[in-house]
Amino acid sequence: DIQMTQSPSSLSASVGDRVSITCQASHDINSSLSWYLQRPGRAPNLLIFHASNLETGVPSRFSGSGSGTHFTFTINSLLPEDIGTYYCQQYDDLPLTFGGGTRVEI
Amino acid sequence: EMQLSESGGDFVQPGESLRLSCTASGFTFNNYAMTWVRQAPGKGLEWVSGISDIGDTTYYVDAVKGRFTVSRDNSNNTLYLHMNNLRAEDTAVYYCAKCEAVEVVCSSDVWGQGTTVTVSS
């Protein structure tokens, strides 16, 4: 199985801050990586697919980069509604696997 | 609007069975693969199972192989997860999710609200 190592596991930042999360894959996954936000008590919501493509309707303050084994997710200017847990997920091979999550607090 | 709605979660004892359902609306159901993802209390997300657009191929995480069966009824826009011989470690919120492709190796762009399965004696 492909292991996804996400860091940090949690962070606290201020409104307007630039926030970055990294995700490292144990094998080359090309660009088969998605980022999701799970707000408290809610289902996950797709933000980024294919490593850097913004899902329709997702604000442009969110972005993703990387390929192969190293990926980065960035929130350009943090807003209060961005709090929750962010997950990366690889879909290069089965079983699909998620990172451990990054809890973002204000 | 694309929507998914799960049902069937319950409180059961170890060894018992349960069937989860997921009803889709707002998109052409038989054009997309579908997956089940679960989240144990206070834990992260775990992919459980996937099924291709026409249901001819199915996949499972090792922890549920031989106990869970995924199926779909494209005429009724419904996805199922049949769970047998349930264990305490299967306790979780189960989400169904729509793939962005016909194959299971995909990102998931639409998620249901989840249904809770609790396995305890």
Side-chain angles (χ1 to χ4, degrees):
Chain A
D1 299 2
I2 298 175
Q3 306 302 316
M4 304 302 292
T5 303
Q6 197 174 329
S7 63
S9 58
S10 66
L11 66 90
S12 181
S14 300
V15 172
D17 281 355
R18 182 183 175 94
V19 168
S20 290
I21 300 167
T22 64
C23 192
Q24 183 119 8
S26 61
H27 298 78
D28 187 338
I29 59 169
N30 301 296
S31 295
S32 301
L33 185 104
S34 293
W35 291 95
Y36 300 88
L37 164 60
Q38 185 176 34
R39 294 186 172 94
R42 304 289 298 276
N45 184 46
L46 177 66
L47 302 177
I48 301 282
F49 63 96
H50 206 58
S52 60
N53 291 271
L54 200 64
E55 177 69 0
T56 303
V58 173
S60 59
R61 65 180 180 277
F62 298 105
S63 64
S65 64
S67 67
T69 62
H70 190 80
F71 302 86
T72 302
F73 172 81
T74 300
I75 307 173
N76 196 44
S77 180
L78 190 68
L79 294 180
E81 58 261 39
D82 298 337
I83 64 166
T85 303
Y86 291 80
Y87 294 93
C88 61
Q89 180 206 34
Q90 68 80 19
Y91 53 97
D92 184 70
D93 197 12
L94 294 170
L96 307 187
T97 47
F98 291 87
T102 298
R103 178 177 292 183
V104 174
E105 300 175 336
I106 301 265
Chain B
E1 181 187 3
M2 294 185 286
Q3 289 188 326
L4 296 170
S5 180
E6 303 94 337
S7 61
D10 205 349
F11 186 107
V12 297
Q13 294 192 334
E16 292 188 338
S17 300
L18 208 54
R19 187 185 77 168
L20 306 183
S21 300
C22 170
T23 303
S25 62
F27 63 96
T28 305
F29 184 67
N30 59 10
N31 280 358
Y32 300 96
M34 297 292 294
T35 67
W36 287 98
V37 174
R38 67 184 178 183
Q39 186 169 36
K43 302 297 185 182
L45 301 170
E46 180 185 33
W47 178 84
V48 172
S49 178
I51 185 168
S52 61
D53 57 336
I54 60 173
D56 59 335
T57 51
T58 59
Y59 305 91
Y60 304 92
V61 70
D62 283 350
V64 308
K65 277 181 186 173
R67 300 188 299 121
F68 289 14
T69 302
V70 62
S71 63
R72 63 192 297 164
D73 179 351
N74 284 348
S75 63
N76 286 306
N77 293 345
T78 305
L79 173 73
Y80 300 102
L81 186 66
H82 304 256
M83 303 185 293
N84 295 324
N85 191 20
L86 282 160
R87 305 168 180 169
E89 55 264 35
D90 296 318
T91 295
V93 175
Y94 284 73
Y95 297 100
C96 65
K98 168 189 167 291
C99 282
E100 290 195 303
V102 300
E103 295 185 353
V104 173
V105 279
C106 64
S107 59
S108 295
D109 61 342
V110 183
W111 294 66
Q113 82 286 353
T115 188
T116 301
V117 173
T118 304
V119 185
S120 176
S121 55

